[in-house]
Amino acid sequence: MKDVISEILKNNQLSVTENRLKILELFQKNGKALSHGDIEKMSGKHFDRVTIYRTLQTFVDKGIIHTIPTADNSIMYALCKDTCSEGHHHDDHVHFLCEECGTTYCLDNVTIPQVTIPKGFSVHQTNVLVNGICKNCR
Amino acid sequence: MKDVISEILKNNQLSVTENRLKILELFQKNGKALSHGDIEKMSGKHFDRVTIYRTLQTFVDKGIIHTIPTADNSIMYALCKDTCSEGHHHDDHVHFLCEECGTTYCLDNVTIPQVTIPKGFSVHQTNVLVNGICKNCR
DNA sequence: TTAATTTTGCAACACTGTTGCAAAACTTTA
DNA sequence: TAAAGTTTTGCAACAGTGTTGCAAAATTAA
Ligand SMILES: [Zn+2]
Ligand SMILES: [Zn+2]
Ligand SMILES: [Zn+2]
Ligand SMILES: [Zn+2]
């Protein structure tokens, strides 16, 4: 397990450090989107706040995790699929936020629908965020 | 003009104050989404920060403005249509963020597409956020 | 005009995120 | 394995954002 995570880091030209192993492991274990605050709590205040911020930013830059827009003012992060790489994210799936438990899911199999935009506007990226109740809360 | 805005406030059982008139006027004049920071700058530091926060929250509660999810960590606000009321928003349109000028638009005529969600999940609301270049920037 | 109610501004605070820099950890090389 | 070079970390300090309590001011109702 640790070895697999180490490989991910090495493949991205990143030093293998305790902090990075731990944070990647948290994403793997939880299988859902995490906020900076979530990680800070779960890592048992073992790492500095700043280090966590910098690690998340590094992972986003490298295409290891992606950010998810939210209606309230918080950034969520989730693991990317193998198709993402440095500077090139392809996380074109729908995100679901459960209003009961607060969990944010990547619905990897639900593709983003095509939206028709008025003339003169050109589209780079479309984000779809669905709110509701998840399968565990009903 | 001021009278029309006063009416909006009275219809929502809100006292007519200079602050509220000014903020509503800013939304009417600009015709685009505004952040708390935008309003603070545009109002010429005439009102206290806290007052602006509370006014925005009040307007959201009353169904006068709605919030817009963003990919970066900032809340944007825009005027609702007449169909919204206290506790009942119906702002089911697509939002567009221009990567060039930073303007956020409500695309009132672009309806939210239906997304098919896995079994066990139930949908309350769907937000669609499109990034790209707007008609003024190309 | 006065009394009752609502709104505002101030102070103080909590939370989130950023930067510079020296120390520590990690990687490379020999 | 040890030393040198490079990257990462933790600390301190700071900026930005948003919240709460409370007394003063403004607005509304009588
Ligand atoms: Zn990605
Ligand atoms: Zn995702
Ligand atoms: Zn609304
Ligand atoms: Zn809108």
Side-chain angles (χ1 to χ4, degrees):
Chain A
M1 177 64 169
K2 282 248 162 143
D3 293 341
V4 179
I5 300 179
S6 289
E7 281 309 309
I8 297 174
L9 294 174
K10 283 176 192 159
N11 290 341
N12 285 284
Q13 291 87 45
L14 290 173
S15 299
V16 178
T17 67
E18 205 191 333
N19 163 61
R20 287 172 177 164
L21 288 173
K22 180 71 179 176
I23 292 182
L24 263 188
E25 197 187 355
L26 285 175
F27 278 109
Q28 306 257 23
K29 271 191 183 168
N30 283 273
K32 58 172 188 171
L34 301 174
S35 68
H36 170 272
D38 292 335
I39 292 168
E40 203 177 346
K41 279 170 208 125
M42 286 193 279
S43 64
K45 287 175 188 176
H46 198 261
F47 305 111
D48 192 80
R49 252 162 31 82
V50 178
T51 302
I52 298 174
Y53 279 117
R54 286 197 268 226
T55 301
L56 290 171
Q57 189 54 56
T58 301
F59 286 177
V60 170
D61 293 343
K62 290 292 186 178
I64 300 172
I65 60 177
H66 60 280
T67 58
I68 303 169
T70 61
D72 73 328
N73 229 9
S74 73
I75 306 178
M76 299 297 291
Y77 303 85
L79 285 176
C80 296
K81 299 291 154 188
D82 296 333
T83 49
C84 293
S85 60
E86 181 153 13
H88 298 285
H89 280 276
H90 305 284
D91 308 284
D92 42 1
H93 51 262
V94 169
H95 290 108
F96 185 93
L97 169 63
C98 178
E99 292 161 356
E100 186 74 21
C101 64
T103 300
T104 300
Y105 301 83
C106 292
L107 301 181
D108 294 308
N109 298 320
V110 182
T111 51
I112 300 285
Q114 195 74 21
V115 289
T116 319
I117 294 294
K119 274 190 183 168
F121 291 79
S122 63
V123 176
H124 280 175
Q125 206 203 347
T126 304
N127 282 294
V128 176
L129 184 64
V130 177
N131 295 308
I133 305 296
C134 79
K135 59 181 190 299
N136 296 326
C137 290
R138 46 167 306 208
Chain B
M1 178 63 168
K2 282 244 162 148
D3 292 344
V4 178
I5 299 179
S6 288
E7 280 310 308
I8 297 173
L9 294 174
K10 283 176 190 160
N11 290 341
N12 285 282
Q13 291 87 45
L14 291 173
S15 299
V16 178
T17 68
E18 203 191 333
N19 163 61
R20 286 172 179 166
L21 288 172
K22 179 73 179 176
I23 292 181
L24 262 189
E25 197 187 354
L26 285 175
F27 278 109
Q28 305 258 21
K29 272 190 183 169
N30 282 275
K32 59 174 189 173
L34 300 174
S35 68
H36 171 271
D38 293 334
I39 293 168
E40 203 177 346
K41 280 170 207 125
M42 286 194 278
S43 65
K45 286 175 188 177
H46 198 261
F47 306 111
D48 193 81
R49 252 162 31 83
V50 178
T51 302
I52 298 173
Y53 278 116
R54 286 197 269 228
T55 301
L56 289 171
Q57 189 54 57
T58 301
F59 286 177
V60 170
D61 293 343
K62 289 292 186 177
I64 299 172
I65 60 178
H66 60 281
T67 59
I68 303 170
T70 61
D72 73 328
N73 227 10
S74 73
I75 306 177
M76 299 297 291
Y77 302 87
L79 285 175
C80 295
K81 300 290 154 190
D82 295 334
T83 49
C84 294
S85 60
E86 181 154 12
H88 298 285
H89 280 273
H90 305 285
D91 307 285
D92 41 2
H93 51 263
V94 169
H95 290 108
F96 185 93
L97 169 64
C98 178
E99 291 161 357
E100 184 75 21
C101 64
T103 302
T104 301
Y105 301 83
C106 291
L107 301 181
D108 294 309
N109 298 319
V110 182
T111 51
I112 301 285
Q114 195 73 22
V115 289
T116 319
I117 295 295
K119 275 189 179 167
F121 291 79
S122 63
V123 176
H124 280 174
Q125 205 202 348
T126 303
N127 282 294
V128 176
L129 183 64
V130 177
N131 295 308
I133 306 294
C134 79
K135 59 181 190 298
N136 297 325
C137 291
R138 47 167 304 207

PDB file of all heavy atoms in Angstrom, chain A residues 48-69:
ATOM      1  N   ASP A  48       2.197  20.594   9.915  1.00  0.00           N
ATOM      2  CA  ASP A  48       1.866  22.008   9.956  1.00  0.00           C
ATOM      3  C   ASP A  48       0.784  22.327   8.920  1.00  0.00           C
ATOM      4  O   ASP A  48       0.754  21.745   7.842  1.00  0.00           O
ATOM      5  CB  ASP A  48       3.131  22.818   9.658  1.00  0.00           C
ATOM      6  CG  ASP A  48       2.942  24.279   9.962  1.00  0.00           C
ATOM      7  OD1 ASP A  48       3.031  24.649  11.144  1.00  0.00           O
ATOM      8  OD2 ASP A  48       2.678  25.059   9.026  1.00  0.00           O
ATOM      9  N   ARG A  49      -0.076  23.260   9.276  1.00  0.00           N
ATOM     10  CA  ARG A  49      -1.123  23.730   8.369  1.00  0.00           C
ATOM     11  C   ARG A  49      -0.557  24.120   7.005  1.00  0.00           C
ATOM     12  O   ARG A  49      -1.087  23.749   5.949  1.00  0.00           O
ATOM     13  CB  ARG A  49      -1.776  24.981   8.977  1.00  0.00           C
ATOM     14  CG  ARG A  49      -3.151  24.820   9.517  1.00  0.00           C
ATOM     15  CD  ARG A  49      -3.535  25.950  10.470  1.00  0.00           C
ATOM     16  NE  ARG A  49      -2.917  27.218  10.173  1.00  0.00           N
ATOM     17  CZ  ARG A  49      -3.365  28.076   9.247  1.00  0.00           C
ATOM     18  NH1 ARG A  49      -4.434  27.799   8.568  1.00  0.00           N
ATOM     19  NH2 ARG A  49      -2.739  29.205   9.036  1.00  0.00           N
ATOM     20  N   VAL A  50       0.516  24.881   7.054  1.00  0.00           N
ATOM     21  CA  VAL A  50       1.110  25.373   5.806  1.00  0.00           C
ATOM     22  C   VAL A  50       1.569  24.230   4.921  1.00  0.00           C
ATOM     23  O   VAL A  50       1.378  24.252   3.699  1.00  0.00           O
ATOM     24  CB  VAL A  50       2.296  26.310   6.114  1.00  0.00           C
ATOM     25  CG1 VAL A  50       2.934  26.778   4.825  1.00  0.00           C
ATOM     26  CG2 VAL A  50       1.827  27.482   6.952  1.00  0.00           C
ATOM     27  N   THR A  51       2.151  23.227   5.526  1.00  0.00           N
ATOM     28  CA  THR A  51       2.629  22.080   4.760  1.00  0.00           C
ATOM     29  C   THR A  51       1.469  21.404   4.035  1.00  0.00           C
ATOM     30  O   THR A  51       1.589  21.004   2.874  1.00  0.00           O
ATOM     31  CB  THR A  51       3.319  21.079   5.694  1.00  0.00           C
ATOM     32  OG1 THR A  51       4.398  21.755   6.347  1.00  0.00           O
ATOM     33  CG2 THR A  51       3.862  19.903   4.923  1.00  0.00           C
ATOM     34  N   ILE A  52       0.352  21.287   4.722  1.00  0.00           N
ATOM     35  CA  ILE A  52      -0.814  20.667   4.096  1.00  0.00           C
ATOM     36  C   ILE A  52      -1.302  21.499   2.910  1.00  0.00           C
ATOM     37  O   ILE A  52      -1.583  20.962   1.837  1.00  0.00           O
ATOM     38  CB  ILE A  52      -1.937  20.456   5.128  1.00  0.00           C
ATOM     39  CG1 ILE A  52      -1.449  19.500   6.223  1.00  0.00           C
ATOM     40  CG2 ILE A  52      -3.197  19.917   4.466  1.00  0.00           C
ATOM     41  CD1 ILE A  52      -2.412  19.333   7.382  1.00  0.00           C
ATOM     42  N   TYR A  53      -1.376  22.801   3.096  1.00  0.00           N
ATOM     43  CA  TYR A  53      -1.765  23.663   1.976  1.00  0.00           C
ATOM     44  C   TYR A  53      -0.840  23.467   0.785  1.00  0.00           C
ATOM     45  O   TYR A  53      -1.268  23.312  -0.349  1.00  0.00           O
ATOM     46  CB  TYR A  53      -1.714  25.148   2.386  1.00  0.00           C
ATOM     47  CG  TYR A  53      -2.923  25.613   3.134  1.00  0.00           C
ATOM     48  CD1 TYR A  53      -2.834  26.055   4.445  1.00  0.00           C
ATOM     49  CD2 TYR A  53      -4.180  25.625   2.534  1.00  0.00           C
ATOM     50  CE1 TYR A  53      -3.943  26.484   5.146  1.00  0.00           C
ATOM     51  CE2 TYR A  53      -5.296  26.053   3.223  1.00  0.00           C
ATOM     52  CZ  TYR A  53      -5.174  26.488   4.528  1.00  0.00           C
ATOM     53  OH  TYR A  53      -6.278  26.899   5.215  1.00  0.00           O
ATOM     54  N   ARG A  54       0.476  23.467   1.072  1.00  0.00           N
ATOM     55  CA  ARG A  54       1.429  23.364  -0.019  1.00  0.00           C
ATOM     56  C   ARG A  54       1.365  21.996  -0.696  1.00  0.00           C
ATOM     57  O   ARG A  54       1.482  21.888  -1.925  1.00  0.00           O
ATOM     58  CB  ARG A  54       2.836  23.665   0.497  1.00  0.00           C
ATOM     59  CG  ARG A  54       3.000  25.165   0.763  1.00  0.00           C
ATOM     60  CD  ARG A  54       4.445  25.577   0.882  1.00  0.00           C
ATOM     61  NE  ARG A  54       4.908  25.528   2.258  1.00  0.00           N
ATOM     62  CZ  ARG A  54       5.617  26.499   2.840  1.00  0.00           C
ATOM     63  NH1 ARG A  54       5.941  27.586   2.177  1.00  0.00           N
ATOM     64  NH2 ARG A  54       6.001  26.383   4.097  1.00  0.00           N
ATOM     65  N   THR A  55       1.152  20.963   0.104  1.00  0.00           N
ATOM     66  CA  THR A  55       1.043  19.620  -0.467  1.00  0.00           C
ATOM     67  C   THR A  55      -0.175  19.522  -1.386  1.00  0.00           C
ATOM     68  O   THR A  55      -0.084  18.997  -2.498  1.00  0.00           O
ATOM     69  CB  THR A  55       0.939  18.580   0.661  1.00  0.00           C
ATOM     70  OG1 THR A  55       2.099  18.687   1.474  1.00  0.00           O
ATOM     71  CG2 THR A  55       0.841  17.177   0.095  1.00  0.00           C
ATOM     72  N   LEU A  56      -1.310  20.043  -0.937  1.00  0.00           N
ATOM     73  CA  LEU A  56      -2.506  19.995  -1.767  1.00  0.00           C
ATOM     74  C   LEU A  56      -2.274  20.745  -3.081  1.00  0.00           C
ATOM     75  O   LEU A  56      -2.626  20.259  -4.161  1.00  0.00           O
ATOM     76  CB  LEU A  56      -3.700  20.584  -1.007  1.00  0.00           C
ATOM     77  CG  LEU A  56      -4.198  19.730   0.168  1.00  0.00           C
ATOM     78  CD1 LEU A  56      -5.238  20.486   0.984  1.00  0.00           C
ATOM     79  CD2 LEU A  56      -4.779  18.421  -0.341  1.00  0.00           C
ATOM     80  N   GLN A  57      -1.663  21.899  -2.978  1.00  0.00           N
ATOM     81  CA  GLN A  57      -1.394  22.678  -4.194  1.00  0.00           C
ATOM     82  C   GLN A  57      -0.476  21.912  -5.142  1.00  0.00           C
ATOM     83  O   GLN A  57      -0.710  21.859  -6.353  1.00  0.00           O
ATOM     84  CB  GLN A  57      -0.775  24.032  -3.818  1.00  0.00           C
ATOM     85  CG  GLN A  57      -0.673  24.995  -4.991  1.00  0.00           C
ATOM     86  CD  GLN A  57      -2.016  25.180  -5.684  1.00  0.00           C
ATOM     87  OE1 GLN A  57      -3.012  25.561  -5.067  1.00  0.00           O
ATOM     88  NE2 GLN A  57      -2.081  24.851  -6.981  1.00  0.00           N
ATOM     89  N   THR A  58       0.553  21.298  -4.584  1.00  0.00           N
ATOM     90  CA  THR A  58       1.478  20.497  -5.397  1.00  0.00           C
ATOM     91  C   THR A  58       0.741  19.360  -6.099  1.00  0.00           C
ATOM     92  O   THR A  58       0.921  19.133  -7.293  1.00  0.00           O
ATOM     93  CB  THR A  58       2.583  19.904  -4.503  1.00  0.00           C
ATOM     94  OG1 THR A  58       3.288  20.973  -3.870  1.00  0.00           O
ATOM     95  CG2 THR A  58       3.566  19.082  -5.316  1.00  0.00           C
ATOM     96  N   PHE A  59      -0.101  18.664  -5.359  1.00  0.00           N
ATOM     97  CA  PHE A  59      -0.851  17.543  -5.936  1.00  0.00           C
ATOM     98  C   PHE A  59      -1.782  18.020  -7.052  1.00  0.00           C
ATOM     99  O   PHE A  59      -1.966  17.317  -8.057  1.00  0.00           O
ATOM    100  CB  PHE A  59      -1.654  16.819  -4.851  1.00  0.00           C
ATOM    101  CG  PHE A  59      -0.816  15.969  -3.931  1.00  0.00           C
ATOM    102  CD1 PHE A  59      -1.407  15.302  -2.853  1.00  0.00           C
ATOM    103  CD2 PHE A  59       0.553  15.811  -4.131  1.00  0.00           C
ATOM    104  CE1 PHE A  59      -0.640  14.506  -2.006  1.00  0.00           C
ATOM    105  CE2 PHE A  59       1.322  15.025  -3.278  1.00  0.00           C
ATOM    106  CZ  PHE A  59       0.717  14.373  -2.216  1.00  0.00           C
ATOM    107  N   VAL A  60      -2.394  19.181  -6.864  1.00  0.00           N
ATOM    108  CA  VAL A  60      -3.254  19.722  -7.920  1.00  0.00           C
ATOM    109  C   VAL A  60      -2.420  20.028  -9.152  1.00  0.00           C
ATOM    110  O   VAL A  60      -2.782  19.658 -10.273  1.00  0.00           O
ATOM    111  CB  VAL A  60      -3.993  20.992  -7.443  1.00  0.00           C
ATOM    112  CG1 VAL A  60      -4.693  21.678  -8.617  1.00  0.00           C
ATOM    113  CG2 VAL A  60      -5.005  20.655  -6.360  1.00  0.00           C
ATOM    114  N   ASP A  61      -1.283  20.680  -8.945  1.00  0.00           N
ATOM    115  CA  ASP A  61      -0.404  21.020 -10.071  1.00  0.00           C
ATOM    116  C   ASP A  61       0.037  19.768 -10.835  1.00  0.00           C
ATOM    117  O   ASP A  61       0.136  19.784 -12.062  1.00  0.00           O
ATOM    118  CB  ASP A  61       0.843  21.759  -9.578  1.00  0.00           C
ATOM    119  CG  ASP A  61       0.510  23.136  -9.024  1.00  0.00           C
ATOM    120  OD1 ASP A  61      -0.593  23.639  -9.300  1.00  0.00           O
ATOM    121  OD2 ASP A  61       1.349  23.697  -8.302  1.00  0.00           O
ATOM    122  N   LYS A  62       0.302  18.704 -10.113  1.00  0.00           N
ATOM    123  CA  LYS A  62       0.817  17.485 -10.733  1.00  0.00           C
ATOM    124  C   LYS A  62      -0.268  16.619 -11.362  1.00  0.00           C
ATOM    125  O   LYS A  62       0.026  15.590 -11.967  1.00  0.00           O
ATOM    126  CB  LYS A  62       1.565  16.655  -9.686  1.00  0.00           C
ATOM    127  CG  LYS A  62       2.883  17.279  -9.233  1.00  0.00           C
ATOM    128  CD  LYS A  62       3.930  17.281 -10.340  1.00  0.00           C
ATOM    129  CE  LYS A  62       5.285  17.771  -9.827  1.00  0.00           C
ATOM    130  NZ  LYS A  62       6.311  17.734 -10.900  1.00  0.00           N
ATOM    131  N   GLY A  63      -1.517  16.972 -11.149  1.00  0.00           N
ATOM    132  CA  GLY A  63      -2.592  16.168 -11.719  1.00  0.00           C
ATOM    133  C   GLY A  63      -2.925  14.936 -10.893  1.00  0.00           C
ATOM    134  O   GLY A  63      -3.463  13.953 -11.397  1.00  0.00           O
ATOM    135  N   ILE A  64      -2.596  14.990  -9.591  1.00  0.00           N
ATOM    136  CA  ILE A  64      -2.900  13.858  -8.710  1.00  0.00           C
ATOM    137  C   ILE A  64      -4.278  14.012  -8.073  1.00  0.00           C
ATOM    138  O   ILE A  64      -5.012  13.045  -7.898  1.00  0.00           O
ATOM    139  CB  ILE A  64      -1.812  13.728  -7.620  1.00  0.00           C
ATOM    140  CG1 ILE A  64      -0.440  13.500  -8.273  1.00  0.00           C
ATOM    141  CG2 ILE A  64      -2.142  12.601  -6.642  1.00  0.00           C
ATOM    142  CD1 ILE A  64       0.725  13.558  -7.299  1.00  0.00           C
ATOM    143  N   ILE A  65      -4.620  15.231  -7.720  1.00  0.00           N
ATOM    144  CA  ILE A  65      -5.968  15.518  -7.203  1.00  0.00           C
ATOM    145  C   ILE A  65      -6.542  16.708  -7.973  1.00  0.00           C
ATOM    146  O   ILE A  65      -5.800  17.461  -8.595  1.00  0.00           O
ATOM    147  CB  ILE A  65      -5.953  15.839  -5.682  1.00  0.00           C
ATOM    148  CG1 ILE A  65      -5.089  17.071  -5.392  1.00  0.00           C
ATOM    149  CG2 ILE A  65      -5.469  14.645  -4.882  1.00  0.00           C
ATOM    150  CD1 ILE A  65      -5.086  17.491  -3.925  1.00  0.00           C
ATOM    151  N   HIS A  66      -7.874  16.864  -7.895  1.00  0.00           N
ATOM    152  CA  HIS A  66      -8.528  18.015  -8.534  1.00  0.00           C
ATOM    153  C   HIS A  66      -9.425  18.719  -7.527  1.00  0.00           C
ATOM    154  O   HIS A  66      -9.838  18.133  -6.535  1.00  0.00           O
ATOM    155  CB  HIS A  66      -9.324  17.589  -9.765  1.00  0.00           C
ATOM    156  CG  HIS A  66     -10.418  16.608  -9.481  1.00  0.00           C
ATOM    157  ND1 HIS A  66     -10.191  15.257  -9.309  1.00  0.00           N
ATOM    158  CD2 HIS A  66     -11.753  16.759  -9.326  1.00  0.00           C
ATOM    159  CE1 HIS A  66     -11.332  14.641  -9.085  1.00  0.00           C
ATOM    160  NE2 HIS A  66     -12.296  15.530  -9.085  1.00  0.00           N
ATOM    161  N   THR A  67      -9.687  19.990  -7.798  1.00  0.00           N
ATOM    162  CA  THR A  67     -10.552  20.763  -6.907  1.00  0.00           C
ATOM    163  C   THR A  67     -11.993  20.673  -7.389  1.00  0.00           C
ATOM    164  O   THR A  67     -12.265  20.459  -8.566  1.00  0.00           O
ATOM    165  CB  THR A  67     -10.137  22.242  -6.856  1.00  0.00           C
ATOM    166  OG1 THR A  67     -10.186  22.783  -8.179  1.00  0.00           O
ATOM    167  CG2 THR A  67      -8.740  22.388  -6.313  1.00  0.00           C
ATOM    168  N   ILE A  68     -12.917  20.857  -6.438  1.00  0.00           N
ATOM    169  CA  ILE A  68     -14.337  20.761  -6.738  1.00  0.00           C
ATOM    170  C   ILE A  68     -15.016  22.036  -6.257  1.00  0.00           C
ATOM    171  O   ILE A  68     -14.892  22.392  -5.084  1.00  0.00           O
ATOM    172  CB  ILE A  68     -14.951  19.545  -6.018  1.00  0.00           C
ATOM    173  CG1 ILE A  68     -14.198  18.274  -6.426  1.00  0.00           C
ATOM    174  CG2 ILE A  68     -16.438  19.434  -6.311  1.00  0.00           C
ATOM    175  CD1 ILE A  68     -14.545  17.066  -5.594  1.00  0.00           C
ATOM    176  N   PRO A  69     -15.721  22.736  -7.150  1.00  0.00           N
ATOM    177  CA  PRO A  69     -16.423  23.961  -6.733  1.00  0.00           C
ATOM    178  C   PRO A  69     -17.565  23.620  -5.787  1.00  0.00           C
ATOM    179  O   PRO A  69     -18.217  22.593  -5.959  1.00  0.00           O
ATOM    180  CB  PRO A  69     -16.985  24.521  -8.041  1.00  0.00           C
ATOM    181  CG  PRO A  69     -16.657  23.571  -9.117  1.00  0.00           C
ATOM    182  CD  PRO A  69     -15.986  22.365  -8.542  1.00  0.00           C
TER     183      PRO A  69
END
